Each structure stands twice: as structure tokens, then as C-alpha cells.
Amino acid sequence: MEKRIFTIESNEPVARDTFRLVLRTDAPVAICSGQFVDIAVPGYYLRRPISVSDVLPDGVILYYKVVGEGTLVMSGMVPGDTLELLLPLGAGFHPEKCVSDALLVGGGLGAAPLFLLAKELLAAGKKVTAVLGFKRADEICLAEEYRALGVPVHIATLDGSAGTKGFVTDAIATAQPVFDRFYTCGPLLMMKAVCTTLDAPGEASMEERMGCGAGFCYGCTLQTQSGPRRVCADGPVFDKEEILW
Amino acid sequence: MEKRIFTIESNEPVARDTFRLVLRTDAPVAICSGQFVDIAVPGYYLRRPISVSDVLPDGVILYYKVVGEGTLVMSGMVPGDTLELLLPLGAGFHPEKCVSDALLVGGGLGAAPLFLLAKELLAAGKKVTAVLGFKRADEICLAEEYRALGVPVHIATLDGSAGTKGFVTDAIATAQPVFDRFYTCGPLLMMKAVCTTLDAPGEASMEERMGCGAGFCYGCTLQTQSGPRRVCADGPVFDKEEILW
Amino acid sequence: MVKDLSVSLCGLRLRNPVIPASGTFGFGLELADSMDLNVLGGISLKGTTREARFGNPTPRIAECTAGLINSVGLQNPGIEALVSDKAPALRRIYGGVIIANISGYSVEEYAFNCARADACPAIDILEVNVSCPNVHGGGMAFGTDPQSAAAVTKAVKAVTRKPVFIKLSPNVTDIVSIARACEDAGADGITLINTLLGMRIDIKKRKPVIANKMGGFSGPAVFPLALRMVYQVAHACRIPVMGCGGVARAEDVLEMMMAGATAVQVGAENLRNPTACPEIIGALPALMERLGIDSLQEIIGIVA
Amino acid sequence: MVKDLSVSLCGLRLRNPVIPASGTFGFGLELADSMDLNVLGGISLKGTTREARFGNPTPRIAECTAGLINSVGLQNPGIEALVSDKAPALRRIYGGVIIANISGYSVEEYAFNCARADACPAIDILEVNVSCPNVHGGGMAFGTDPQSAAAVTKAVKAVTRKPVFIKLSPNVTDIVSIARACEDAGADGITLINTLLGMRIDIKKRKPVIANKMGGFSGPAVFPLALRMVYQVAHACRIPVMGCGGVARAEDVLEMMMAGATAVQVGAENLRNPTACPEIIGALPALMERLGIDSLQEIIGIVA
Ligand SMILES: Cc1cc2nc3c(=O)[nH]c(=O)nc-3n(C[C@H](O)[C@H](O)[C@H](O)COP(=O)(O)OP(=O)(O)OC[C@H]3O[C@@H](n4cnc5c(N)ncnc54)[C@H](O)[C@@H]3O)c2cc1C
Ligand SMILES: Cc1cc2nc3c(=O)[nH]c(=O)nc-3n(C[C@H](O)[C@H](O)[C@H](O)COP(=O)(O)OP(=O)(O)OC[C@H]3O[C@@H](n4cnc5c(N)ncnc54)[C@H](O)[C@@H]3O)c2cc1C
Ligand SMILES: Cc1cc2nc3c(=O)[nH]c(=O)nc-3n(C[C@H](O)[C@H](O)[C@H](O)COP(=O)(O)O)c2cc1C
Ligand SMILES: Cc1cc2nc3c(=O)[nH]c(=O)nc-3n(C[C@H](O)[C@H](O)[C@H](O)COP(=O)(O)O)c2cc1C
Ligand code: FES
Ligand code: FES
């Protein structure tokens, strides 16, 4: 974990309230899927944890949704502005545990960390299918990027404005993808549905309000099958069996 | 009193730790000598009171010394940056009370508010002499600007590195200026020496830590001959007889 | 949709809940030229004692992160000037609720001052300050103990028919017991919080910034503490609470009201921004719209 | 000129006065990869109880202006894990002063835990937390009353020869009487302050941000209050004070020391900046140079 200054290369809206942020720094970046960065937003006391969606040789790509004050400030920043990040943080996904076929199930911006995972899985020669759920069509993001990787993408929207009407579980039922392991990130209830209905081994990325983001304040503790675990350091990714839904 | 945004036109060092700040706004500015502005420095809770040294049709010129955190931040600001000012504040000098010959006695940046006073006095047809005291030659500022107005300037420096060695009172004793009224601004002890030795009527500009800067918090009260007075609203300029040295 | 900002406080209708806090808005008159006072729900006037007071030596102000320390020490022109001059002058130009903030050095002085204020038709509410940390022997001592707070309340209630709010100090172990004692003694409402006792040192000069060494600390920094006390007291008492402490924006007003405040006072923020109150009031309707709130009265104490 | 940052605390030499505060630096081990721990004057470990604790439900963290509220609720692996695992592991990689932070639900539990910590050679100082606002029935209650604070102190002193610091709560009317009671009961030093009880409400969701409603508020916002208490206690007691509360930069360390602190703890700031302590220590020499200070030991309590 280290603190580093990044410069904003671009910060563009890509869907309803959703921004794609490309950050560059002056040295190589090493970070894996499911890990996150913690962003110091000028004027706010705590950092904002954001998952990494893609890694560049000297940068990262993040997707964030404007939900409160910090992300609103972020959305007003422009290329050339700088941000101080803490990274890499957390224990990410385990692409190496997939035998041959992976299913990625994202809800909303859960699609973001799964994108880097898709790239890692493909690089390791695995086959990947993505099922992405959104509230409505104008919230869809990253679908084209997955397709550009050659990953088949099944969309579900709650209001049926795109893809299957309903939940990701409905889209999975429709698409009947082949997989030996699944990976999910999104709202808790969605992940619960996914983890309790799919019977392959799987991993889910959890969320919690954070203090330090780096494992030493015990602000983000999750009670799990094997005792208390810090979402920021022992997670955010946990085996589905670990999670007490 | 109103709140207004100004844009920095220039912010240049002019003497040791001393900056000249030219601020422009989008409407006429009305402010008189001895009055001050209260500057919101980004990141700090209270405003910084700074006297007005000159008025432009749509702006003000200020001189400030870097003494602490707020002025340090100000010194790092660049043309195009904006500052929010509260103005006009305070009750200023009374040039109209001078009969024909005014003596201005400044200590350090006390020279700044007296400069606008010099212009007002000259415009009213009065004769003006300035005696300016500084610690050392490299702190001298505004002397040339006074001279450019045609005002004779006598300098005193504590270490003798320029002008008379010693205090402004020494320079006054040497220069023997003619005056029917004097105006002084500078360190308290200097003003005390000036007010208690010169026997013409005179006015002094006082300083106090401020809360509101605008007369309603009673943070800056001075006990005077005629009872408690707010430096920010009843002053900063007081008749010498008012002040309990 | 038109938003209803009005609230009802002890039978008085405030056009909105926003009130400049005592000591941070003079006697209102000082600001009459800089804003339309009549947008304000109420105005709490500078704290007044029986005799005129110069207050404490200067420096009286120290800057802090997200706040300031003041040690004004109840500079004021005395109760007679309040009732015969300041309050009537404000009433002539201001139609909202006028709150007289009353201090004292003894139970008798509190009662004397309140009796005088009771006789002044310009004054709507008495706010009895048992919490000023800046004056020795007077003020805060009364607010740090349930018995003395109750004693002041009883004495004051005996001499006035106007609503009496007791303004409490946060410098206590158990705010609820003190608020309850005031309620039991007949208080019509509680204002809280006053300032926290704080200190700053000038590390260049190696001495306290404030001449009196310590002073009252307030500003956005104290908001979470104030909110907690408002929540505790509003849930423990049946009488209304005026919430105060660190309020700087419309969001803070709603947070205080959801915690249980019927009205909300703005203090230190006026010092750095004299038009803070009108700006906060102006921002309320749009914020209410975003949050789906039609009437402020509805959200008072909505958090269980 | 070389600056002497060292201070002497109950006979122990600290290479500098800067110590991460309990609960904001884990057991030190978590940060061993991110910095050179050996630059730190001391490390105060996460508060420990007899049994392992999960702590409070989440959310446990709420953001505030210039600070945060935490409601961790003493999550910890229990005293046995501390003395047999955590502290010895830290001792192997860290040469500075190791401070065990001890909590309890009864005087007996405090004594039990301290006896265990006394037997652990890795631990240099016992910091007894009678001030945690996040745990019902344990913690803060002991620190809000001179008698119970003294009772804990006595019980603990009876079972250990290591220096005992009592960590006090700022949520009290009279900090001095509590500190004096601890001193009279044999405490070797006082740490203050712990967190202030605070609250935040999510105005969108209309409910408290923290699952437990309230929590401990700290960060730069509380600095003026902490400084005042450090000043009061350092001037009222003869035993050393570790100053804590809102320290975020080298200037704050000097201000705390001038107020009377022999060592200075940094809490919340570690959470937003894990390298806050090394950065503060790194900035001290240049700041001392600017202010004409050669040795930190000299400035302790220099403000009268
Ligand atoms: C491991 C992890 C990865 C995340 N990845 C992403 C991502 O890739 N894209 C994205 O848009 N969001 C992500 N989030 C959620 C994101 O952190 C919050 O939406 C963001 O912090 C909100 O900040 P705000 O200032 O706008 O909201 P505010 O409500 O103003 O924030 C107030 C405080 O609450 C915290 N907070 C608010 N909401 C959340 C939340 N849902 N989770 C954690 N802390 C929160 C903030 O960090 C801040 O400390 C992630 C969260 C975690 C824990
Ligand atoms: C009416 C008036 C007119 C002034 N005019 C000028 C001027 O023209 N040029 C100039 O350089 N300075 C002037 N000053 C002094 C100037 O306000 C302070 O030097 C400045 O506020 C210091 O800010 P800082 O953040 O650098 O210092 P810090 O010490 O970091 O400031 C901390 C706090 O103390 C206050 N403060 C510190 N020193 C003073 C002081 N001497 N007087 C009042 N408040 C202080 C600051 O405003 C701030 O609130 C004037 C002061 C007053 C009262
Ligand atoms: C400069 C100043 C003067 C004050 N004078 C008084 C007073 O006379 N009477 C009183 O009850 N409270 C007084 N207070 C306290 C405020 O009314 C308010 O309770 C406190 O500042 C907390 O609110 P804030 O955080 O918004 O400032 C004063 C506060 C300040 C900053
Ligand atoms: C997340 C967190 C956890 C804490 N845990 C403990 C603890 O276990 N024991 C303790 O004595 N104090 C604990 N504290 C209090 C701090 O040690 C410190 O006293 C307080 O936060 C004030 O300092 P600060 O303003 O620098 O944060 C905790 C504080 C925080 C922020
Ligand atoms: S946020 Fe501090 S341990 Fe996870
Ligand atoms: S600074 Fe507020 S009255 Fe002068």
C-alpha cells in the first residue's frame, strides 16, 4: 500500500450519473481485479474507496456513480487536476481458481471491477460470460467494452428498457451460461440471490463504510463463517461460503 | 457591506515578505482610506482583514505581509484566481478635517492605507508629507509611489540601512515637517509614540483580531475614552484622544 | 410544489426555523443594512446582563480548524438598554420572533433581567443562558448541574409569561439530566448547545491566543456533538428544542430537525459569512424538493 | 543544528513524542509493510478486553467536517492474543515504546487484563481506557466519575509494576477532578482525550449513519477542546500527560507539548493518511528550527 498522486487524463459521463475516470501517474501501477483505490477528495475528511476497472501501464481506469458529496466533487474535476490515491488495497478476485469457464455477474457499477477480472481470465485462457444488471437502459455501462474483449454480455434491466426484464438471476436463467466458477459484484441483495441460487463455487465483492481502507482501524468488519473479517483488507472479495447472508 | 468575488490581476512580492495584490471585480468599488476588506482565504475558517491601499474604478490594491498561514496561502495565489471579499468595512480616516498640511506617519505596512489617504488629501488640495518607518531597507515599500504623487517622503529604518537611523519619531524630528493634522498607522508602540509626542490633532488606525469584521460579534472591542468601541466598525481609525494607550 | 418552511414554536409561528444565534448577530440592527432581516425565522439577541459589561480583554478571537474560539465575555449594554432601546428598535423593522438572551451572576439577577424583559412587548421569547463559558462565576456554572439549572428556571418562570428556553452548556457529563431538570422546573423549551470550552496556543509567541487563555469553541467542528445532544434531549423531553452548534448550510438544518430540533440557530457561521442565514433559508426549498419533503414541521424528530 | 526530538516519559526514553493512538493503528503489524515503524516514538495498540469481541454492527464509520465518528466498539482478539501473539510479534520488529491499551467491563476485568499485560515483556506501558463511548456498561462510565476512575486505577496499580496511564473521556463536566483522582490513586500518567460522543444523520435515508446511532467523534475538529483539557490536567497534576485529539501536523504536536503534553498521540489522522505519523515526525526538525527550539523536552508545558 502506498500513497501516490495521479493526474486526471479524462473524467467523462458514460451513463446516468456515472463517470469514467482515467488517471495517470509517473510510475508503473500494479493492481489486480477486485482490489480498490482510496481517493482523497479535496475538502472531505475521509477517502472514497473505488474499485479498479482497468489497469494501464502507468494508470488506472475507474467508474464511479455520483451518490453523494464526494463523488459530486469528483464529477466536477477536469483533466490536469490531480488526486491522491492510496493503493493497491484489498484482496481481490481469484481468476486462477476458475477451471475453464467463468461467469461474471455484475449489478450496476459492479460491472466495473469485473471488467479487469474478465481481462485477467481471458489472458489466462479462460472462457468468460458476463451478465450485467441495471435499473434501466440509461444506466448501462461497460457492456460494449466487455463485448470488445469478445465476452458475450447478457443484460437485465429492472424496467425492461434493455435486455431481459428483471434481475440478473432472470437473465442467467434465460441465457443458461456454462461456467465452473462465478464472480459477482453489485448490491447486496443481488449478490445474495446469485450466491444462493448458483451452485458452482463463487466469489462476491462486499461493500462497507470504511475508515482507513487499509486494515488497521476495524471500521469495516464483516462477520463471516470464519469469524470477523475486514472488508478492506481480508476482502472486499470473499468466497460465497464465507458470507453470512 | 457586501460580499463580492474579485479576480487576482497581479500578486507580486515588492519587499521582504511583502506582496502587492491587485484585485478586479465586475462592478464599481466604493471604499475610502482607512477602510478595509475581509478576505476569505480558501481552507481557513475566518477571514483576513487587509486595509485598502488604493482604489481602482473596478478594483482595489492591497499590500500584505506574510506573517502566518492565511497570508502564506495568499502569497501562492496567481492571476486569474478568485477571492471572496467582504467590503467596505470600518470607519476610515478623516481627510476633510485637515486644514491645509497633513503629516502621514506609517510603520511597516502602515504605509499602505495612508497611501489612499494621501491621494484623497491631494485631491482635496491639501499638502502632504509622509514619514515611513521600516525595520530595514529591504522592507521599504510604497515610498516611490508616494513620491510619484509628489509627496515628500522621509524614511526611518531601525538599523539605519536607509534614511534616518531610528524610529519615525526621529525622522520627524529631523525633517521638521509642517502640518496641522497627522494620521498614523503601524505598530501600536510606534503609534503611541507618535500620538503622545506630536501635539497637532491626529488619527490612528488600530488593529485587533477579528471575528465578523463587521460590527456584530464584539470580538474586536477596544476600551476608549468614550467607552467600548468596535475596531472593525467604530474604527479602525480613532482620534488620538480616544485611545487609552 | 410550494414548500412550507414554517414551524410552530411554543405557539409562535416562525416563517422558517432559521435563527441567528445569540452573540453572532449583535442586536440585529447592525445587520439591517446588509440584508432583509425579515427573511429570518427569528433573531436571538446578544446576551444581556443587568449592568453593562465591557467583556474580556482582547484578543477575544482565535481561529481553529472548522471553527473559532470566542472570549467576548458577554460585552453588552445592560438589560435596560435592551428593553428600552435595542429590542424596540429591532421590533420596528423586524416582524419575526425576537429572542432575548439573558445572562446573570445569580439566580436573583436572572430573575430580575427576565422580569424586565417580560415587560418589553418587543420580546417574544426569553432564552436564558446558563452556559456561557467566558464569564467567571456567572453563566456556565448554572448549566453544569441539574439543581442550579432548575433553580434558575423556576426563578425565571415565576416572573414571566413569555416562553422561556434554557440554553444549556455542552461541557457536561450528562446533558439529559440537566435538560430534564429544566423541563421539570417549568421550562418551555431548551436551546443547545452553547460553546465548548477550548484553547489555542500561538506556538511562535508561546502563549495562548486568547487573552483569557480559554474561550468558547464553536463552528462546523462541533456539529456532530451538538446533533447528538439535540437528539438525546429532544427524545428525553417533551418540550421543544432549538438546535444550535456548527450549523452552516441547509443540509445541517434538516439534520438538526430530523434529530429533534423545532428551530435551528446559526452561530459562528454568521461571523465568516454575514449572509449565511438568508443563504441557508434560500437553499432550503430546493433541498426539500430533492429529499421529498413538503413541510419542515413534518420532519421534526423523524429519526427515532 | 541537530534537533533533539527525544522525550522522557516515566523513565522511558522515546526517540520522539509521536505515538499512533489506540485503535487507529491496529497492532502496528498491519502497517509494518507501509512504513518504517521504528521512526515512531511509541505505538499504542488497539484496545483489548478479556474476551475476544466482534464489536458493534456496521456501519461503524461516519464522516464529519474535519473528523469522523467511529463505533468500532472495541473489536479485538482478547487479552491472551495480545500478550501471547500481537505484542511479542510487534516487539520483534519494533524497538520503540509499546503501549497496551486495556479495557474492561468491571474493575476486576481491568485488573485481570493488566495483570496479564504486566507479565508480557513486550509491553512497556499500560494505557487503561476508562473512556470508550462505544461500549455499553464498560468503558466510558468508569471515566466519567472520579471515584470509579480511581477505583480502576488502584486495582490496576496493584497488579503491575509497569507505568500505568489512565485514558480519560472528554465527555465530562470536570476533567481535572477525574485526573486528580487518578493521580491520587497512583496513576503514573494520564492520556487524554478519548473521543467525544457524537452523531450524524443521513438526511436522505432519515436514519443515523452509524448502526449504533452514536459513536466516538474525533479528528482535527476536536483539537481545541483536547488542547484545553491537556492544558488543564497538565497544570493540575504532577504526572505526565500524553496529549491526544485532533493532532494532524507537526504544529499541533508542538502546541500540545507547550500546553503540557510529554508525548502526543495521533488518532483519526492515521485513518485518512496512514503515513501521517512518519510525516509529522519528519516535519518536526524544520519546524523547530523556524521556531528556535533545540529540544522538545524543553517546551513541555512552557505555556504557564
Ligand atoms: C471496496 C469498495 C469499492 C467500491 N467501488 C466503487 C466503484 O467502483 N464505483 C463506485 O461508484 N462506487 C464504489 N464504491 C462505493 C463508493 O465508495 C461510494 O459510493 C462513495 O464513497 C460515496 O462517496 P460520496 O462522497 O459521494 O457519498 P457520501 O454519502 O457523501 O459519503 C459520505 C461518507 O460515506 C462513505 N460512503 C458513502 N456511501 C458508501 C458506500 N456505498 N460504500 C462505502 N462508503 C460509502 C464515503 O466514502 C464517505 O466517507 C465502492 C465501495 C467500496 C467499499
Ligand atoms: C483593520 C486591519 C487592517 C489590516 N491591514 C493589513 C494590511 O493592509 N496588510 C497586512 O499585511 N496586514 C494587515 N492587517 C493584519 C492582517 O489582518 C494579519 O496579518 C493577517 O490576518 C494574518 O493572517 P495569517 O493567516 O497570515 O496569520 P495567522 O496567524 O495564521 O492567522 C490566524 C488568525 O489570526 C488573525 N490574525 C493574525 N494576525 C493578526 C493581526 N495582526 N491582526 C488581526 N488579525 C490577525 C487572522 O486574521 C486569523 O484569523 C490588518 C489587520 C486589521 C485588523
Ligand atoms: C462570538 C460569539 C458570541 C457569543 N455570545 C453568546 C451570548 O452572548 N449568549 C449566548 O447564549 N451564546 C453566545 N454564543 C454562543 C452561540 O450562540 C452558540 O450557542 C454557539 O456559538 C454554538 O453555535 P455555532 O457552532 O453555530 O457557533 C456566542 C458565540 C459566538 C461565536
Ligand atoms: C477508529 C478508532 C478506534 C479507536 N479505538 C480506541 C481504542 O480501542 N481504545 C482507546 O483507548 N481509544 C480508541 N480510539 C480513540 C483514539 O485513540 C483517540 O483517543 C481519539 O480518537 C482522539 O484522537 P484523534 O482526534 O487524533 O482521533 C479510537 C479512535 C478511532 C478513530
Ligand atoms: S476500513 Fe479500516 S480496517 Fe477496514
Ligand atoms: S470583529 Fe465582530 S464586532 Fe468587530
Side-chain angles (χ1 to χ4, degrees), chain A residues 36 38 208-221 230-233, chain D residues 61 271:
Chain A
F36 64 97
D38 220 354
E208 194 44 78
R209 293 225 172 198
M210 290 183 177
C212 67
F216 56 88
C217 80
Y218 306 112
C220 64
T221 308
R230 299 158 304 175
V231 169
C232 70
Chain D
I61 302 283
L271 270 57

Side-chain angles (χ1 to χ4, degrees), chain A residues 3 47-48 67 218 221, chain D residues 60 63 75 204 272 279:
Chain A
K3 236 168 45 182
R47 291 170 188 266
R48 269 59 184 167
V67 299
Y218 306 112
T221 308
Chain D
R60 295 178 176 180
E63 191 180 50
Q75 176 181 344
K204 283 186 218 159
R272 68 195 299 250
E279 288 168 22

Side-chain angles (χ1 to χ4, degrees), chain A residues 43-242:
Chain A
Y44 291 87
Y45 193 69
L46 292 174
R47 291 170 188 266
R48 269 59 184 167
I50 303 287
S51 300
V52 173
S53 177
D54 206 350
V55 190
L56 308 169
D58 59 349
V60 289
I61 301 180
L62 314 176
Y63 284 77
Y64 66 92
K65 192 153 194 149
V66 174
V67 299
E69 297 185 27
T71 45
L72 187 64
V73 168
M74 280 168 59
S75 72
M77 297 184 83
V78 296
D81 287 351
T82 57
L83 284 169
E84 193 205 73
L85 269 59
L86 218 56
L87 85 171
L89 296 172
F93 292 110
H94 299 87
E96 73 285 0
K97 292 194 182 164
C98 170
V99 181
S100 61
D101 293 87
L103 175 65
L104 312 187
V105 188
L109 275 191
L114 296 174
F115 181 74
L116 180 55
L117 176 63
K119 290 179 74 173
E120 291 169 353
L121 286 161
L122 293 171
K126 312 290 158 71
K127 276 181 277 182
V128 179
T129 304
V131 176
L132 306 179
F134 300 93
K135 284 208 199 83
R136 18 191 282 192
D138 65 358
E139 298 198 343
I140 295 175
C141 65
L142 275 151
E144 286 319 307
E145 283 82 349
Y146 277 97
R147 291 194 182 108
L149 296 178
V151 172
V153 176
H154 306 278
I155 300 276
T157 54
L158 286 186
D159 67 352
S161 50
T164 308
K165 181 176 157 86
F167 300 101
V168 284
T169 39
D170 299 314
I172 297 170
T174 312
Q176 298 273 3
V178 174
F179 60 96
D180 59 76
R181 190 173 186 87
F182 71 88
Y183 303 87
T184 183
C185 181
L188 194 67
L189 286 179
M190 180 209 89
M191 295 197 292
K192 177 176 177 178
V194 169
C195 289
T196 51
T197 56
L198 301 185
D199 74 356
E203 306 174 10
S205 180
M206 305 299 282
E207 210 175 290
E208 194 44 78
R209 293 225 172 198
M210 290 183 177
C212 67
F216 56 88
C217 80
Y218 306 112
C220 64
T221 308
L222 189 72
Q223 190 56 284
T224 72
Q225 209 58 257
S226 40
R229 288 288 175 272
R230 299 158 304 175
V231 169
C232 70
D234 303 312
V237 176
F238 294 91
D239 279 347
K240 72 168 191 188
E241 291 78 15
E242 283 292 299

